Structures are given as C-alpha cells and as structure tokens.
Amino acid sequence: MAEDLTVTRALVIPASELRERFSRSSGPGGQHVNTTDSRVELSFDLANSPSVPERLRARMLERLATRLVNGVLTIAASEHRAQLQNRAIARERLAALLRAAAAAPAPDRRATAPSRGAKERRIAAKKRRGITKRNRRALPDD
C-alpha cells in the first residue's frame, strides 16, 4: 500500500514521506486482539515536507497547530479488525484533514444594513403577533 497520497489535484504527498506504525488494538475482540497488530498510526512531517508548497505550509501549520507535535501530524485508526482497512481509513482521514487545512479562507463578510421595507415588515409582523396575543387574554369579569 505504498502509494502516494492525493490530497488535492495540486498537492500529492509521496509515500516516502508517510510513516506507518502498527500496534495492537484495544477493546473487545478476544484472542484476535492479542495476536494481531491491526491498529495503525500514520504520521506526516508537515513542517519539513518538501512536497507541500510554502504558501500552503504556513496556512496548514496554523490551522493544524493543536494537532501537531513538533510539526508532525499523526492519525490513528483502530476501528476494524483488519490492518489493511485501518491503513486505508488512516490515509483517508489524513487526506481529509490536510484538504480542510489547505482550503482557501472564506471571503470576509461585507456588513449590510436592513432595508427600510425589511424594517417596516418586521415591525408590522411584531404588531400582528402582539394583537394575536392580546386577543387571547381573558377579559376581566366585572
């Protein structure tokens, strides 16, 4: 499974920059858990990767700052009994995380004021609602 990881059309991480570690999964599973190294930890050195363009690296490092340890991003997967499935899931998660971090920032919001007609409609709706509530009140007995 030593394939390059495609994040976007412009960003492809070579397999040589990805590090995989395998260990035993925790949780239920009987004897299978005790004998197989199905848990996968996939690591990628984002800070020192030559395959990430400099303009993207700064943005990605900033957005993933809470998930990085010394510039290295690590993803763990242990949902499945099979190591191969966990490897595929870890690669998908890493690609999705990097894709989200590399996305262009949203444009700044341009503040707008409500139009005169919108204000009038809002006030009219409030008056109608107030009249409806007033009509529900019980009249005092004289």
Side-chain angles (χ1 to χ4, degrees):
M1 190 158 215
E3 301 175 11
D4 295 346
L5 181 66
T6 304
V7 178
T8 63
R9 281 184 278 150
L11 179 59
V12 177
I13 308 298
S16 61
E17 292 186 30
L18 299 174
R19 300 280 172 258
E20 288 180 324
R21 269 187 41 203
F22 306 103
S23 61
R24 295 197 174 118
S25 293
S26 62
Q31 293 175 345
H32 179 78
V33 170
N34 301 328
T35 59
T36 58
D37 293 337
S38 59
R39 181 176 189 266
V40 177
E41 281 186 17
L42 183 63
S43 298
F44 172 60
D45 190 356
L46 179 60
N48 301 315
S49 173
S51 61
V52 178
E54 199 57 46
R55 62 182 172 77
L56 282 181
R57 180 171 309 151
R59 183 187 309 158
M60 293 169 86
L61 286 172
E62 181 184 333
R63 290 183 178 175
L64 295 172
T66 58
R67 297 206 51 163
L68 297 175
V69 177
N70 297 328
V72 177
L73 177 63
T74 302
I75 304 292
S78 61
E79 289 79 32
H80 297 283
R81 286 172 56 120
Q83 186 187 88
L84 199 61
Q85 288 177 304
N86 286 332
R87 288 173 83 181
I89 286 174
R91 291 173 65 88
E92 288 171 19
R93 281 191 201 153
L94 180 64
L97 206 57
L98 293 175
R99 196 175 302 120
D108 291 339
R109 179 186 175 276
R110 288 173 44 193
T112 59
S115 66
R116 182 176 167 189
K119 288 180 188 175
E120 289 173 359
R121 286 190 298 275
R122 183 179 65 85
I123 299 299
K126 286 171 66 96
K127 286 192 185 302
R128 277 194 308 275
R129 185 73 179 145
I131 291 169
T132 301
K133 288 186 169 192
R134 198 174 323 120
N135 291 338
R136 288 183 189 151
R137 289 190 201 139
L139 296 175
D141 292 334
D142 289 332

